[in-house]
Amino acid sequence: MTAISDRRQMAYVAAQAADARVNVELEAEGMTLNIGPQHPATHGTLRIVARLDGEQVIEAEPIMGYMHRGYEKLTEVRTYPQVTTLVNRIDWLGSFCNEVPFILAAEQLMEIEAPPRAQHIRTILFELGRIAHVSLFLGDLGVQLGAVTPVFYAFRDREHVLNQIEAATGGRFHPNFDRIGGVKDDLPAGWIAETRQVLQKLREFCDLIDGLLFGNEIFEARTRGIGVIPADVGLSYGLSGANIRASGVDWDLRRDAPNGLVYDKVDWKVWTHPDGDAYARSWVRLQEVRESCDIVEQLLDTMPPGPIMAKVPRIIKVPEGEAYVATENPLGEMGYYIVSKGGLEPFRVKIRSASFNNMSITPWLLQGAYVPDVITILASLYFILGDIDR
Amino acid sequence: MGLVESGKLPKSLTTLLNTSRKYSLWVYQWGLACCAIEMGAAFGSPRYDVMRLGVIPLPASPRQADFVCVSGTVTDKMAPAIRRLYEQMPEPKYVISMGSCANCGGPYWDSYSVTKGIDQIIPVDVYVPGCPPRPEALLEGIVLLQEIIQHEDMQEKWNKDPLELGA
């Protein structure tokens, strides 16, 4: 495999040659297609400049930074509890999942361990966040391919999960519920029974989507064999999450490094798919929603009694040191590298978010793709712009 | 139109025109960040169903839109694009600023790359507070905008000089 710069150089030469050829044959120039920065199919504010030869993409360049909010600098002027509020909004669909690795890293520095009940509540909310996150993907995928119906079902059934998150945390979208040493509140009365009903609804939603999308001939025709990522290429670009599992790599941080979440007490399975195309990526995500429902169900059965907060000083000062904790977020590996100098605020926080790496493969992947497949490939890679730009 | 420009529009006709205008609003969705998902929930989900208010959420381009809903964090890199597409919209046009970030910068009030409020670039008619606002809050914002349109004197609106923006 050539280096990226070499490949881009080759692509540029190829573009020039193609332009010359088209100019001679058709007396026309190659076309540059600009997608974004505001486009319904880019999940936010991604801009892609694609050079076309007819209907084929010769070279595609993603331009980011339209959603750069300066997170890493802002965390340096916020106290640790305030940072939780801020990092909620990195990957805005799976808000609670963003808090957990930061809190775990801070806990590791302070040498605090959350009580078992708090760990259970954390894991349950983590998985509920994943369900709400990925169920919207499953609906949105249809829209990108021209089927509008699935998104209505997705929004309808996602609301049930959001209701449960809101009942437990008070926040429908950005919970800000995780604390150093535990969680803010205990679960409200009757929550467990209600959540069981909601999980049943979500399983029905998965069956519905399975029939509507994955059993649909047109959907298969538009996703099978589109945007194939071989496992070694995916790994070299640092892909994580369902994108790499769809290429047949059996790697899931929930199983391989549970880091203070209680996945080891649950009987569950990591789904993979050998194909590595857009269909495989979507299929793996569908199975993961089902698996998450099972995980939450089992955790609800084995909820331990006890306190929800460890003993934590009123004013949180994190001792000097460095820690990196990563968890398997809905989009992939998300980690925080915290450097503390013993103050109220972190000295430096490096955020490793999944989407940035997942998106970095697009120039390689879009080369040679047809224009209608560009949207399919972008949709199946599934990134959130806030997670890319931070 | 001649009647409007001459300033002799009867009051009953103004009411009729305003009522028709306020119930056929085409909204250009400028979804940027977290708020875009809540906007999507308000516009695209069966639970909130914005079309019952007479709002049609899917125009093909800003040139067909009556108002723009800017939802989410506006960065300095994005701001020129917003201004440009706003200028492409035909008059009369309205702006709803959704969420704390679009209103004033929100949680990024001290960030080096975030525009502290879109009212620095385009004039805003309705501010919807919240981080992010619930879909119900956005629907209320739309109802408030409809009230503004209902009580608008079109002679005043259309006879005045072209808008001077960002001066």
Side-chain angles (χ1 to χ4, degrees):
Chain A
M1 208 172 62
T2 48
I4 299 170
S5 55
D6 285 2
R7 198 186 296 118
R8 293 194 60 170
Q9 182 66 31
M10 278 158 58
Y12 180 73
V13 174
Q16 296 285 324
D19 266 4
R21 199 185 70 230
V22 169
N23 289 347
V24 172
E25 287 174 5
L26 298 174
E27 295 179 353
E29 286 179 14
M31 186 177 142
T32 303
L33 179 69
N34 180 51
I35 309 171
Q38 209 280 329
H39 191 268
T42 55
H43 297 279
T45 56
L46 181 68
R47 182 173 163 216
I48 290 179
V49 180
R51 289 188 55 79
L52 307 182
D53 175 16
E55 263 208 279
Q56 252 184 330
V57 177
I58 297 166
E59 189 193 0
E61 187 189 2
I63 298 169
M64 314 168 306
Y66 288 97
M67 197 35 67
H68 176 67
R69 293 156 290 179
Y71 264 102
E72 295 188 0
K73 201 70 197 164
L74 285 181
T75 49
E76 293 170 17
V77 290
R78 302 277 201 275
T79 61
Y80 283 88
Q82 286 173 335
V83 171
T84 329
T85 324
L86 207 59
V87 295
N88 255 318
R89 288 152 178 84
I90 291 181
D91 163 18
W92 42 68
L93 277 174
S95 313
F96 187 78
C97 312
N98 297 329
E99 301 171 22
V100 173
F102 181 82
I103 292 292
L104 289 174
E107 281 180 357
Q108 195 176 319
L109 280 173
M110 292 176 76
E111 289 167 4
I112 295 174
E113 196 183 358
R117 191 177 172 85
Q119 289 182 8
H120 254 74
I121 295 175
R122 251 181 216 171
T123 318
I124 288 173
L125 287 172
F126 197 88
E127 286 305 311
L128 283 181
R130 182 190 310 275
I131 293 170
H133 197 297
V134 183
S135 61
L136 193 59
F137 161 79
L138 294 169
D140 193 50
L141 186 69
V143 174
Q144 317 274 355
L145 298 173
V148 188
T149 316
V151 77
F152 294 123
Y153 290 117
F155 268 120
R156 183 194 69 186
D157 289 331
R158 184 173 163 271
E159 289 289 334
H160 300 307
V161 186
L162 291 185
N163 278 353
Q164 288 316 105
I165 294 177
E166 184 177 12
T169 67
R172 160 190 152 84
F173 216 72
H174 294 311
N176 190 20
F177 191 64
D178 214 358
R179 298 284 187 270
I180 293 175
V183 288
K184 181 173 168 285
D185 285 320
D186 211 336
L187 296 175
W191 193 83
I192 291 179
E194 277 174 33
T195 310
R196 283 217 178 86
Q197 291 172 7
V198 166
L199 291 175
Q200 198 48 44
K201 283 178 188 156
L202 260 294
R203 286 199 187 102
E204 283 162 22
F205 164 75
C206 287
D207 295 341
L208 189 75
I209 289 287
D210 209 347
L212 261 178
L213 277 182
F214 292 84
N216 186 321
E217 205 178 322
I218 304 171
F219 178 80
E220 278 206 42
R222 290 209 51 189
T223 50
R224 286 259 192 214
I226 303 295
V228 179
I229 305 176
D232 55 335
V233 178
L235 285 173
S236 71
Y237 273 100
L239 257 60
S240 54
N243 288 328
I244 197 70
R245 285 196 286 278
S247 298
V249 179
D250 190 7
W251 183 69
D252 193 320
L253 282 176
R254 285 180 286 175
R255 181 198 57 200
D256 302 338
N259 286 335
L261 297 172
V262 289
Y263 289 107
D264 46 350
K265 292 179 184 156
V266 186
D267 177 29
W268 64 290
K269 173 178 183 308
V270 177
W271 288 87
T272 58
H273 197 288
D275 285 358
D277 55 4
Y279 185 90
R281 290 193 281 277
S282 317
W283 184 86
V284 167
R285 290 206 173 90
L286 174 71
Q287 303 308 326
E288 280 182 2
V289 176
R290 287 180 167 148
E291 203 65 51
S292 289
C293 290
D294 289 349
I295 293 176
V296 175
E297 186 97 65
Q298 291 179 46
L299 287 172
L300 290 175
D301 290 338
T302 57
M303 186 71 106
I308 51 160
M309 271 299 261
K311 271 206 173 301
V312 178
R314 268 183 81 92
I315 296 170
I316 289 172
K317 272 190 180 175
V318 174
E320 211 165 305
E322 298 175 9
Y324 176 75
V325 173
T327 53
E328 184 75 24
N329 277 35
L331 295 165
E333 179 189 347
M334 175 157 199
Y336 293 86
Y337 186 84
I338 304 181
V339 181
S340 174
K341 295 273 178 190
L344 291 169
E345 303 105 7
F347 177 73
R348 173 88 170 87
V349 175
K350 166 80 183 89
I351 305 168
R352 191 270 188 218
S353 60
S355 293
F356 183 75
N357 292 55
N358 288 351
M359 206 271 309
S360 68
I361 200 172
T362 46
W364 184 87
L365 202 53
L366 290 181
Q367 249 177 50
Y370 287 95
V371 173
D373 296 338
V374 170
I375 301 298
T376 314
I377 291 170
L378 291 179
S380 72
L381 275 177
Y382 196 36
F383 39 76
I384 298 289
L385 258 290
D387 205 30
I388 294 175
D389 292 336
R390 303 190 288 278
Chain B
M1 287 295 269
L3 210 56
V4 176
E5 278 150 15
S6 65
K8 286 175 194 159
L9 196 67
K11 205 167 184 185
S12 51
L13 198 54
T14 310
T15 312
L16 179 67
L17 279 177
N18 280 347
T19 311
S20 339
R21 278 197 310 135
K22 82 170 186 181
Y23 287 128
S24 63
L25 289 169
W26 288 63
V27 46
Y28 188 61
Q29 305 182 30
W30 197 291
L32 289 164
C34 332
C35 295
I37 310 297
E38 292 294 66
M39 186 176 71
F43 287 171
S45 86
R47 183 183 282 198
Y48 300 105
D49 186 20
V50 82
M51 284 198 200
R52 69 200 152 98
L53 300 174
V55 175
I56 301 156
L58 297 164
S61 92
R63 294 189 172 103
Q64 297 171 355
D66 294 305
F67 81 89
V68 57
C69 181
V70 181
S71 53
T73 319
V74 181
T75 55
D76 290 349
K77 190 170 178 179
M78 196 65 180
I82 289 182
R83 174 76 189 275
R84 194 168 154 189
L85 285 206
Y86 173 77
E87 283 168 356
Q88 290 178 11
M89 287 167 63
E91 287 275 2
K93 52 191 171 186
Y94 306 92
V95 178
I96 288 184
S97 160
M98 181 186 183
S100 298
C101 295
N103 292 347
C104 63
Y108 316 106
W109 59 274
D110 52 351
S111 167
Y112 54 84
S113 58
V114 173
T115 310
K116 279 63 172 190
I118 57 158
D119 45 10
Q120 295 176 21
I121 14 172
I122 55 177
V124 177
D125 292 284
V126 177
Y127 297 90
V128 181
C131 190
R134 298 178 66 92
E136 292 95 326
L138 177 62
L139 296 190
E140 201 199 346
I142 290 171
V143 171
L144 286 175
L145 180 68
Q146 286 177 334
E147 265 174 41
I148 293 176
I149 296 174
Q150 178 69 68
H151 296 110
E152 209 166 52
D153 185 355
M154 280 194 287
Q155 186 199 342
E156 205 176 285
K157 173 99 184 167
W158 289 350
N159 263 359
K160 66 183 173 187
D161 297 328
L163 285 172
E164 289 290 336
L165 301 177

